[in-house]
Amino acid sequence: MAEKKAIIVLAPEAEIAACGDGLGKLLKKGVVLKNYTAGNSLEAAEGAISVAPAGVADEVATGTALMVVDLGTAGTAELDTALAAVLDGTDRRCTLAVVAKGAVVFYGLGVDAKAGEVARAAQARDIVPTLAYIADFPITTECTGAVLYQVLKSPNLKMDEIGKLKEALVRMESALARDNREPWDKHDCA
């Protein structure tokens, strides 16, 4: 399985409103939670790496599981510019959470791009558990947040993944039992 990655963009002073390429792309396929209560969204994060927007591509390439882009007191225009750089540095294995003034937006792998805006109340402590559920990275025992299932493509995301792995294992065992390795002969994993 490909390594999944999660990125948290912190911009507590910026508004979530489409004003350019970065926020426009984010809002087009992202899930917005406007009933958001701010706080320490990183309390349960273990091994998070702080990175600048331009450095996201390098961290994604090296396999960093959890990245934090802290924009401090940046406004909406600065958030838009930073998001454009962050989104350019990501790939299909990345999930993004953008924490802004009064809202949080989830985007990318495992996120339901058709959900749009979700009415569920969210708190800062829910961000890391949700990303950890999607991207499979460890959290601390101090975690008190909940997984925001309403932003996911499937609330049974992990069960679906396990089901796919079990099916692949059955197919591989079947091919090995009949001494036919054809699907795997095409790859280096055989």
Side-chain angles (χ1 to χ4, degrees):
M1 245 185 182
E3 280 191 45
K4 302 172 195 171
K5 289 144 186 64
I7 304 164
I8 301 174
V9 178
L10 300 173
E13 301 299 318
E15 298 284 339
I16 294 291
C19 70
D21 292 342
L23 280 165
K25 184 176 180 181
L26 180 76
L27 293 175
K28 184 177 180 182
K29 292 192 176 183
V31 178
V32 181
L33 294 142
K34 289 194 174 179
N35 191 3
Y36 171 71
T37 304
N40 182 6
S41 57
L42 299 175
E43 68 183 11
E46 189 172 286
I49 303 293
S50 184
V51 63
V56 168
D58 293 336
E59 292 297 330
V60 167
T62 59
T64 303
L66 178 60
M67 294 163 260
V68 177
V69 177
D70 191 350
L71 300 177
T73 60
T76 304
E78 292 89 0
L79 173 60
D80 184 62
T81 304
L83 272 176
V86 168
L87 290 171
D88 284 344
T90 62
D91 59 20
R92 62 181 178 79
R93 300 168 300 170
C94 295
T95 304
L96 184 69
V98 179
V99 181
K101 189 177 199 174
V104 62
V105 182
F106 287 87
Y107 173 91
L109 176 73
V111 175
D112 185 4
K114 297 175 185 168
E117 191 172 315
V118 175
R120 183 201 197 280
Q123 298 182 359
R125 66 179 182 232
D126 300 335
I127 294 170
V128 172
T130 303
L131 291 173
Y133 183 75
I134 296 170
D136 303 327
F137 63 82
I139 55 176
T140 65
T141 56
E142 287 79 33
C143 177
T144 58
V147 174
L148 300 168
Y149 292 102
Q150 292 77 9
V151 304
L152 304 177
K153 280 183 184 174
S154 168
N156 298 313
L157 181 73
K158 293 301 162 194
M159 290 175 59
D160 295 344
E161 287 179 358
I162 291 169
K164 287 178 185 176
L165 290 172
K166 285 180 179 179
E167 288 172 9
L169 183 61
V170 167
R171 286 192 315 270
M172 185 173 16
E173 287 174 341
S174 172
L176 290 172
R178 65 178 184 266
D179 200 28
N180 177 3
R181 299 167 42 106
E182 198 212 303
W184 293 278
D185 286 338
K186 298 175 186 174
H187 305 285
D188 291 335
C189 61

